[in-house]
Amino acid sequence: MAFNFGGAATNPATGLAAPGFGTTTTAAAPAGFGGFGTTTTGGLFGNTQNKGFGFSSGLGTGTTAAAGFGTSLGTTLGGGFGGFNIQPQQQQQANALSAPTLLGDERDAILAKWNQLQAFWGTGKGYFNNQLPPVDFTQENPFCRFKAVGYSCIPGSKDEDGLVVLAFNKKEADVRSQQQQLVESLHKVLGGNQTLTVNVEGVKALPDDQTEVVIYVVERSPNGTSKRIPATTLYSYVEQANTKAQLTQLAVFMSVTRTELSPAQLKQLLANAPAGVDPIIWEQAKVDNPDADKLIPVPMVGFKELLRRLKIQDQMTKQHQSRVDIISNDISELQKNQATTVAKIAQYKRKLMDLSHRVLQVLIKQEIQRKSGYAIQVDEEHLRVQLDTIQCELNAPTQFKGRLNELMSQIRMQNHFGTVRSEERYSVDGDLLREIRQHLKQQQEGLSQLISVIKDDVEDIKLIEHGLLDRLG
């Protein structure tokens, strides 16, 4: 199960009446990617003056790229992969749990148990010394019991792909209906440079009526070539205070890059257990990883994080079900098309058979015309003898027709006896009955085909005879 945002992110847009896309903002517009003007604010490339994204302008020089999986893992956007950069447990917390000296009597033991209970729960303050302030117990402390380890997908896109995720506090339907307006608004937020183009890579629904939009920016150079702005460069600009304020008015409450981890970053990330997570549990989570090449263990601290991941999983389940329904509808449509095609093939087969008969009739007439005036040949006489023999076999009492009549008589007698003596029940094995029916059906089909061939041959012979009589007459 892949989750897009690792930690429990706070939502700065909560309660904000976010205007629609494209609403004019009062915040000072940033200079954009291509024209920083004379501003001294730390821009996309540091303190630059009126420089665009030219391919030789030194992209990203003098800046610290704030990547989602960079040097501040877990501190960006509510935790990245779930909060890997939490400070170690202080000695004061240990004193509050094991040996408080607040009262100086047996009540300190009771206070220690109370502090332990608060630490297990992950909330409250632990008093342990009159000269020192109390310790704040959070869910990140190593004694908190409400923790687990899950797995998230490792991003697969590269920095040069330029993918940046913007999370909107709007429904997916609203975002899709205003997608063009959204692109125009983002272009204005990014400076409105005509050499830059904002593109939407994908739109996906998130829990709580929120939406994830993946964007990238393409810069066109004067010589006609184009390239994507790196994800870290774009993210650094998006995270600037003035840019972030304008994005907040567009109902953006979170932004994060989607770049893959280098082997060194991945090794460093997995080397040590996150703060507050038992190293034994962390090592076991790495061993139990179902796909170490695609998934990475992430800590889940507290009920809110568990609820968040549960909502995301439910959202993904709904998306998968929607996709399954679409595939099912496509399969049903294909089955209908297949049935129509099979019917057309059968129709064309019948038409081909009719045309074959017509061609045969034409050939017969042509053959009659060609052989008119000639005596009957030996092979034709043999054919007539064979047809007469077949007709006699069909009409013979002991052959097919006679046997079929005998079977029909027996069936009628059995039906009659069954009606007269209804109290006597006879049963026939189902497999044997199916074999009899199949045998009778094959016999009937064979007779029908044979009769049809004989009739056609008789007609042909009649035509030949008439042709010969006409010629002789």
Side-chain angles (χ1 to χ4, degrees):
M1 178 65 188
F3 299 97
N4 301 309
F5 309 108
T10 57
N11 187 354
T14 302
L16 177 64
F21 296 131
T23 305
T24 304
T25 63
T26 58
F33 291 115
F36 292 103
T38 58
T39 60
T40 58
T41 304
L44 202 55
F45 318 109
N47 295 332
T48 59
Q49 298 222 357
N50 196 20
K51 286 187 178 181
F53 263 128
F55 295 137
S56 61
S57 61
L59 293 177
T61 56
T63 64
T64 301
F69 307 104
T71 57
S72 58
L73 289 171
T75 61
T76 304
L77 300 176
F81 265 133
F84 291 103
N85 209 25
I86 304 172
Q87 295 298 324
Q89 183 72 32
Q90 300 294 328
Q91 181 65 32
Q92 294 178 351
Q93 292 179 336
N95 293 335
L97 297 176
S98 59
T101 58
L102 183 67
L103 301 174
D105 54 23
E106 66 275 3
R107 291 176 294 177
D108 286 338
I110 300 176
L111 181 60
K113 293 182 179 180
W114 171 246
N115 290 340
Q116 292 173 13
L117 181 62
Q118 293 185 98
F120 293 160
W121 187 261
T123 184
K125 294 180 180 293
Y127 293 88
F128 67 99
N129 193 301
N130 289 320
Q131 283 75 34
L132 297 175
V135 176
D136 289 327
F137 292 115
T138 64
Q139 293 180 340
E140 285 76 18
N141 80 82
F143 301 100
C144 180
R145 296 298 179 89
F146 303 110
K147 295 178 182 178
V149 177
Y151 299 93
S152 292
C153 278
I154 302 175
S157 59
K158 299 181 180 179
D159 185 43
E160 53 266 26
D161 295 333
L163 299 181
V164 172
V165 178
L166 300 179
F168 287 82
N169 209 14
K170 290 188 175 184
K171 296 182 180 180
E172 180 187 10
D174 297 337
V175 174
R176 289 188 181 277
S177 62
Q178 303 177 16
Q179 182 169 327
Q180 183 60 36
Q181 188 178 356
L182 167 63
V183 171
E184 295 174 358
S185 300
L186 292 176
H187 186 263
K188 292 179 182 179
V189 170
L190 298 177
N193 195 326
Q194 297 301 319
T195 61
L196 301 178
T197 304
V198 179
N199 300 274
V200 176
E201 177 76 8
V203 178
K204 185 170 65 175
L206 295 176
D208 301 327
D209 292 333
Q210 296 172 348
T211 306
E212 171 191 296
V213 179
V214 183
I215 66 169
Y216 63 92
V217 178
V218 177
E219 181 195 22
R220 298 187 305 275
S221 62
N223 59 5
T225 60
S226 62
K227 64 172 290 186
R228 292 192 182 190
I229 304 303
T232 52
T233 306
L234 177 59
Y235 177 77
S236 299
Y237 185 79
V238 167
E239 284 297 298
Q240 293 182 14
N242 52 356
T243 306
K244 201 168 185 177
Q246 296 183 70
L247 291 175
T248 301
Q249 296 190 23
L250 295 178
V252 176
F253 68 90
M254 182 186 297
S255 59
V256 65
T257 57
R258 181 165 288 176
T259 54
E260 64 180 356
L261 294 171
S262 66
Q265 288 175 324
L266 188 60
K267 183 178 180 180
Q268 180 183 2
L269 193 64
L270 297 174
N272 300 315
V277 178
D278 192 330
I280 298 177
I281 297 178
W282 183 250
E283 291 299 325
Q284 187 62 38
K286 292 191 291 185
V287 173
D288 295 338
N289 192 337
D291 192 344
D293 295 332
K294 297 181 180 179
L295 301 178
I296 186 172
V298 293
M300 294 183 293
V301 181
F303 292 107
K304 287 185 178 180
E305 176 65 12
L306 183 61
L307 178 61
R308 185 189 70 85
R309 292 176 73 93
L310 181 62
K311 288 181 178 180
I312 293 176
Q313 184 173 357
D314 183 63
Q315 185 73 29
M316 292 298 296
T317 301
K318 291 180 180 179
Q319 293 178 2
H320 292 163
Q321 184 61 46
S322 176
R323 176 57 57 183
V324 169
D325 293 340
I326 293 174
I327 295 175
S328 178
N329 293 333
D330 292 342
I331 291 175
S332 299
E333 189 66 24
L334 291 174
Q335 288 176 344
K336 292 179 181 178
N337 295 337
Q338 182 188 14
T340 303
T341 304
V342 170
K344 288 184 177 180
I345 291 175
Q347 179 182 357
Y348 292 148
K349 284 183 177 180
R350 290 193 298 269
K351 188 175 181 180
L352 177 62
M353 187 176 294
D354 294 339
L355 292 175
S356 299
H357 286 300
R358 292 177 62 182
V359 170
L360 181 60
Q361 291 177 358
V362 171
L363 290 175
I364 291 173
K365 293 182 179 180
Q366 182 180 5
E367 189 69 14
I368 292 173
Q369 293 292 332
R370 188 176 67 86
K371 292 189 176 182
S372 61
Y374 293 93
I376 297 178
Q377 298 179 0
V378 178
D379 54 348
E380 294 176 346
E381 182 64 25
H382 289 176
L383 178 60
R384 186 180 67 81
V385 172
Q386 291 177 1
L387 292 175
D388 291 339
T389 304
I390 292 173
Q391 184 66 32
C392 293
E393 289 180 356
L394 289 175
N395 294 328
T398 59
Q399 294 301 322
F400 302 105
K401 192 172 182 179
R403 293 179 181 179
L404 183 60
N405 293 332
E406 183 179 355
L407 288 174
M408 291 298 296
S409 300
Q410 293 179 0
I411 292 173
R412 292 192 188 97
M413 291 177 64
Q414 289 179 358
N415 293 336
H416 176 70
F417 290 147
T419 304
V420 174
R421 296 186 297 176
S422 57
E423 68 279 0
E424 297 182 6
R425 299 289 181 180
Y426 297 96
S427 61
V428 180
D429 183 67
D431 295 336
L432 179 59
L433 186 59
R434 281 191 294 270
E435 291 179 2
I436 294 174
R437 289 177 179 174
Q438 185 67 23
H439 177 72
L440 294 175
K441 183 178 179 181
Q442 292 176 355
Q443 293 291 340
Q444 185 177 2
E445 291 177 354
L447 290 173
S448 300
Q449 293 292 335
L450 191 57
I451 292 172
S452 176
V453 172
I454 292 172
K455 288 182 178 180
D456 293 340
D457 292 339
V458 170
E459 292 295 330
D460 296 341
I461 292 174
K462 289 181 179 180
L463 289 174
I464 293 172
E465 290 178 352
H466 290 167
L468 294 175
L469 293 175
D470 291 340
R471 294 289 295 180
L472 293 175

